[in-house]
Amino acid sequence: MASLSRELAQWVVGLRYDDLPAAVVDRAKGVTLHSLASVLLGSQTQGGRQAVELMTAEESGVSRGATIMVDGATVTKGGAAFCNAEMAMAGGKLDSFRMLTHPGTSILPGAFAAAETARASGREFLTGLAAGYEVMERLAADFIPTVMARGFHAGPVFGIFGAAVAAAKILNLTEDQVNSTIALCVHLAAGNLEGPRGGGRALREGAAVRNAMLAVALAQAGHVGGETVLEGDAGFYRAYAGNNKGQLTYSFVGDTQTSLDKITTALGQDWMFLETLYRIYSTAGYNIAHVDVTAQLCAEHNIRYEDVERVEAVVNWLETQYPSPAFPSRREDAAPQPGSTPYYTWVKLGKQDVNVNIRQFLMTTTSLILTMLLSANAYAQHSHGILTPGVTFPQDDAVLIDPPQMITMSFRVDVRLLKLALYTAEEEWINIGFQYDPSRLSHSFVYLIPFELPASDRSEGHTSELRSQAKLV
């Protein structure tokens, strides 16, 4: 049976431009333009200029290298990719995959460096780009919150794979060389969360793509990386996720078990790349939906801010405790303040032009928004007792127009859910098919309601929980 890296390498080498669906080609073009715009912005920042000055001082004059965008200097491929990634990150117009990773800030610089040196065609460039995004996002998808909770930043930890695969594909590496490229990325993957928490500046995707170019060069030169470096007992997932069995400590959907087999399931048929979003505002990615949805609702229903009494923003609880609930440095479930989710929601109530320059608008409306924030809340978990669901959906005392189709709960600690029961206003039990699972230990639970709930003036939900150390007798 082929190893995980071997399966991915076989797919990458066999991928052709004609295999790409139209939507994938369109997304590849879109993220390319998006990244270029961010590089242009980032080239004007102190961080972007600092990266360029460092690389030109160290590497100027190389005979075979790649170009630093905007500046025009030729340095090593790794040096150019580093500078272009740092400028893209500094520009702030990033793409986003599952909130916490920004694939384009590492993949695009690697792809550009490879395409320049290989004199690749546009089709070859887009094919490599699609391969890099798909491999990176499949490796990352279910594991992002778990990796973050262990102190690693999932962006560069997974981004190195995307950048290396894109470059390897564009450079036309063989199957064995692509397999070794992926394996060598395991040795070079890095990214830690503590620096910024202590007042420092993170070293992220710039370092990831620089290391990616090293992995590609080593594999191209014949360095063999190995076969089971991803799934092996001492491999990537054991090191970064804590195990190689698919067990998760955190999950966006509340499921704490996945499988490494999912990574290659329907590869080339179901494109995870299409989940990549454009971060078009200079704010945290999880605020974008609130900005856009609020703007759309205001436009459709002619809503003005003076018509609104209260705003309630219900978000995925992992989005409220950045970068991880294990050690949040920024919370969205605290008192609203400038830069928070309620803040940006109110921004769009006050200024409904979807193409508004957010930074400029905020400078002129802060006092208005601060007044509005007194009636705005972002609801998330961890606001109640340790064995009480922090935030449920539906929320406590919520008034609903339509019956809910699912119930979600999260806790401050891992628990076993003993009981989940619904009752009508007449205290009649509604059987939703809940069954106690003694093997299910989690902090987050999601249950779909398999039928439409009967009409009732009021519904009540009752739960019982058992902490992980406790035993049921």
Side-chain angles (χ1 to χ4, degrees):
M1 180 179 176
S3 67
L4 180 52
S5 61
R6 178 67 61 176
E7 285 188 75
L8 293 171
Q10 290 170 350
W11 177 76
V12 169
V13 170
L15 184 66
R16 299 290 178 265
Y17 178 83
D18 291 339
D19 299 329
L20 306 179
V24 169
V25 173
D26 181 74
R27 187 60 53 91
K29 293 177 179 179
V31 295
T32 300
L33 295 173
H34 193 68
S35 180
L36 287 173
S38 198
V39 168
L40 290 173
L41 289 170
S43 68
Q44 305 171 45
T45 66
Q46 180 181 355
R49 290 194 299 267
Q50 185 182 62
V52 173
E53 290 169 2
L54 172 64
M55 285 299 110
T56 52
E58 292 285 329
E59 299 184 353
S60 282
V62 300
S63 58
R64 298 178 62 188
T67 304
I68 298 175
M69 292 181 180
V70 184
D71 179 83
T74 300
V75 293
T76 65
K77 292 189 286 293
F82 172 81
C83 290
N84 297 335
E86 289 294 296
M87 288 190 287
M89 180 61 75
K93 297 297 184 282
L94 321 175
D95 56 21
S96 180
F97 175 71
R98 302 204 176 176
M99 187 183 78
L100 293 168
T101 69
H102 308 293
T105 50
S106 54
I107 296 175
L108 263 301
F112 275 121
E116 180 183 358
T117 54
R119 299 184 181 273
S121 68
R123 288 190 168 203
E124 290 168 337
F125 172 81
L126 293 173
T127 305
L129 202 63
Y133 268 89
E134 189 67 13
V135 169
M136 179 237 162
E137 293 180 357
R138 281 175 170 265
L139 290 172
D142 289 339
F143 298 91
I144 294 171
T146 294
V147 168
M148 299 288 281
R150 290 172 61 82
F152 303 109
H153 199 299
V157 165
F158 289 105
I160 185 175
F161 293 99
V165 165
K169 177 63 177 175
I170 292 169
L171 292 169
N172 200 30
L173 267 60
T174 66
E175 178 189 316
D176 285 340
Q177 290 172 328
V178 175
N179 182 74
S180 289
T181 296
I182 294 171
L184 289 166
C185 284
V186 174
H187 294 274
L188 297 166
N192 188 262
L193 296 172
E194 188 60 31
R197 287 167 47 82
R201 179 178 159 199
L203 180 61
R204 289 176 42 181
E205 281 78 1
V209 69
R210 186 173 173 84
N211 283 346
M213 301 312 291
L214 175 60
V216 172
L218 287 170
Q220 197 171 24
H223 189 124
V224 178
E227 287 294 330
T228 56
V229 291
L230 291 172
E231 72 274 28
D233 288 340
F236 174 80
Y237 285 101
R238 177 66 179 269
Y240 286 94
N243 66 89
N244 60 349
K245 308 298 182 185
Q247 297 164 0
L248 308 174
T249 55
Y250 290 96
S251 168
F252 288 119
V253 297
D255 191 351
T256 55
Q257 182 65 53
T258 187
S259 170
L260 297 182
D261 293 338
K262 288 176 57 179
I263 293 172
T264 54
T265 299
L267 183 60
Q269 301 172 34
D270 299 333
W271 284 85
M272 199 165 285
F273 177 25
L274 296 177
E275 292 186 26
T276 310
L277 304 176
Y278 302 109
R279 179 171 150 179
I280 58 177
Y281 307 124
S282 296
T283 176
Y286 54 77
N287 286 325
I288 291 175
H290 295 275
V291 173
D292 285 344
V293 170
T294 303
Q296 185 174 351
L297 288 172
C298 289
E300 289 180 357
H301 302 284
N302 194 30
I303 300 172
R304 309 300 302 178
Y305 73 85
E306 57 266 23
D307 302 325
V308 179
E309 177 183 350
R310 183 178 64 173
V311 172
E312 294 183 3
V314 181
V315 300
N316 188 300
W317 77 287
L318 286 173
E319 296 177 354
T320 69
Q321 300 178 50
Y322 180 88
S324 170
F327 26 73
S329 58
R330 184 173 70 236
R331 295 187 67 129
E332 291 290 345
D333 55 349
Q337 57 185 325
S340 66
T341 297
Y343 182 70
Y344 285 104
T345 303
W346 274 115
V347 163
K348 296 311 292 183
L349 283 169
K351 183 74 170 179
Q352 295 165 25
D353 179 6
V354 177
N355 297 313
V356 66
N357 183 319
I358 290 289
R359 284 178 173 168
Q360 178 181 358
F361 177 64
L362 295 188
M363 292 174 63
T364 61
T365 59
T366 297
S367 60
L368 169 65
I369 302 299
L370 285 174
T371 302
M372 293 175 173
L373 286 179
L374 297 175
S375 58
N377 288 290
Y379 288 100
Q381 285 72 7
H382 298 192
S383 57
H384 300 303
I386 197 166
L387 282 185
T388 304
V391 159
T392 61
F393 183 84
Q395 300 170 26
D396 293 345
D397 300 322
V399 178
L400 303 177
I401 298 175
D402 298 312
Q405 297 179 324
M406 69 177 180
I407 298 172
T408 67
M409 295 168 290
S410 287
F411 300 83
R412 292 183 60 188
V413 296
D414 286 343
V415 302
R416 291 182 175 86
L417 193 60
L418 302 178
K419 170 186 175 182
L420 172 60
L422 294 186
Y423 296 88
T424 66
E426 292 76 27
E427 299 185 354
E428 295 179 353
W429 174 56
I430 305 172
N431 183 3
I432 61 171
F434 171 80
Q435 291 184 331
Y436 166 58
D437 181 359
S439 65
R440 177 81 187 277
L441 180 67
S442 179
H443 62 273
S444 184
F445 296 85
V446 179
Y447 286 97
L448 298 177
I449 299 175
F451 52 83
E452 184 171 334
L453 292 175
S456 178
D457 292 336
R458 186 184 76 256
S459 296
E460 293 184 1
H462 296 180
T463 66
S464 297
E465 303 84 22
L466 195 67
R467 291 191 66 170
S468 59
Q469 304 94 326
K471 302 290 185 181
L472 183 64
V473 178

